[in-house]
Amino acid sequence: MQDHAEWARLRDRLLSRGRMPELPPGWCHQSAMLPASGFEYGGDFIVSDLSADGRRLQLVLVDVCGSGQSAVPAAVKLAGALESLVVAVPDEALLDAANAYLQRQPEDENLATAVHVVLDLATGEYRIRSAGHPPALHWSAARREWRIDNARGTTLGVTDTPEFGETRGRLAAGEALLFYTDGVVESRSVTMDDGIAWLRGVARDAVLDDWDGAAKRIIDQVDLGDDDRAVLVVRRTGI
């Protein structure tokens, strides 16, 4: 049984790996995380990489199997692996490499969902690949609404031949991508589809009120439950 000091050390390692890079002018990001009810920290995390020329951004939002403190050790290990893989393998091979890593782990540490986005900060073009993760949302400045992205895929660690859904798009000035874990939209009493519909409405109100702090305001409206929650927003300001 790990003591509080050990849990705190693992938490700090996870948080340090999740620090986002400073983006060039015209772009901004924000995130908010809330662990399962009764815990100080959980197993949702972010891994990111910004190319040396500041043009190409990669982000991976991950939700490991389990919640609260029980998910932290596996999350720390997977975060460390992804931190190395994101700079070592071609972006189209990242989820396959992460899946292979999890296939080699003990049975209780080998499942996770993930969404991986590669974003060209010069053009706004992006590619999203999903591994069993809830669908991303794309803010349409023209329609003033969050539209559902269609990328779907196999949860990491389930099989050695996973299929990862992929979509492509472009962010115009004033548009954004929103990523989140299933704890935000799913509970025993609400289906995933109903939860996503709820999130689209809450997130619309949040950004129309003020983009600053929108991720935290979204998280704050999620009912406390037995799953960790995370929200990540990347926006093209055009300024």
Side-chain angles (χ1 to χ4, degrees):
M1 186 75 176
Q2 290 167 304
D3 60 21
H4 182 78
E6 177 64 10
W7 284 118
R9 186 181 67 82
L10 291 174
R11 173 203 59 195
D12 291 344
R13 286 176 59 190
L14 197 59
L15 291 176
S16 66
R17 284 176 170 151
R19 291 194 181 98
M20 295 275 287
E22 182 177 349
L23 300 184
W27 292 91
C28 62
H29 59 73
Q30 57 181 291
S31 61
M33 296 187 179
L34 194 64
S37 180
F39 296 98
E40 293 182 40
Y41 31 87
D44 295 346
F45 65 88
I46 300 166
V47 170
S48 60
D49 178 66
L50 181 64
S51 62
D53 61 6
R55 171 168 177 156
R56 189 167 174 275
L57 175 68
Q58 290 192 75
L59 298 170
V60 191
L61 175 59
V62 181
D63 180 0
V64 302
C65 181
S67 61
Q69 288 183 345
S70 65
V72 173
V76 169
K77 292 178 184 178
L78 180 54
L82 280 170
E83 193 174 46
S84 298
L85 291 170
V86 75
V87 297
V89 302
D91 55 72
E92 64 273 13
L94 179 64
L95 292 182
D96 292 281
N99 185 74
Y101 168 83
L102 284 178
Q103 289 272 291
R104 297 192 296 270
Q105 303 309 303
E107 185 175 353
D108 61 348
E109 297 181 4
N110 69 351
L111 293 178
T113 68
V115 59
H116 175 211
V117 59
V118 181
L119 185 57
D120 187 323
L121 301 180
T123 66
E125 295 177 344
Y126 65 81
R127 183 170 70 253
I128 295 173
R129 300 186 81 212
S130 177
H133 212 74
L137 302 180
H138 178 157
W139 175 255
S140 169
R143 298 190 180 190
R144 292 165 65 87
E145 67 178 11
W146 290 101
R147 305 177 69 180
I148 300 174
D149 183 82
N150 291 318
R152 302 290 191 275
T154 307
T155 297
L156 298 175
V158 171
T159 174
D160 58 2
T161 56
E163 295 183 0
F164 302 125
E166 179 176 302
T167 57
R168 295 172 182 260
R170 178 179 177 275
L171 291 181
E175 297 192 329
L177 292 171
L178 187 155
F179 307 95
Y180 54 96
T181 55
D182 60 7
V184 174
V185 295
E186 193 173 38
S187 69
R188 292 188 180 91
S189 59
V190 178
T191 67
M192 178 74 76
D193 288 344
D194 287 342
I196 292 171
W198 171 86
L199 175 61
R200 292 177 69 196
V202 167
R204 180 180 187 275
D205 291 343
V207 301
L208 289 178
D209 179 48
D210 189 350
W211 279 98
D212 290 342
K216 185 176 187 305
R217 292 197 300 278
I218 294 168
I219 281 285
D220 287 345
Q221 295 189 59
V222 179
D223 292 336
L224 292 176
D226 57 4
D227 200 359
D228 305 321
R229 285 137 286 170
V231 170
L232 168 65
V233 178
V234 181
R235 180 175 178 237
R236 186 177 191 184
T237 64
I239 298 174

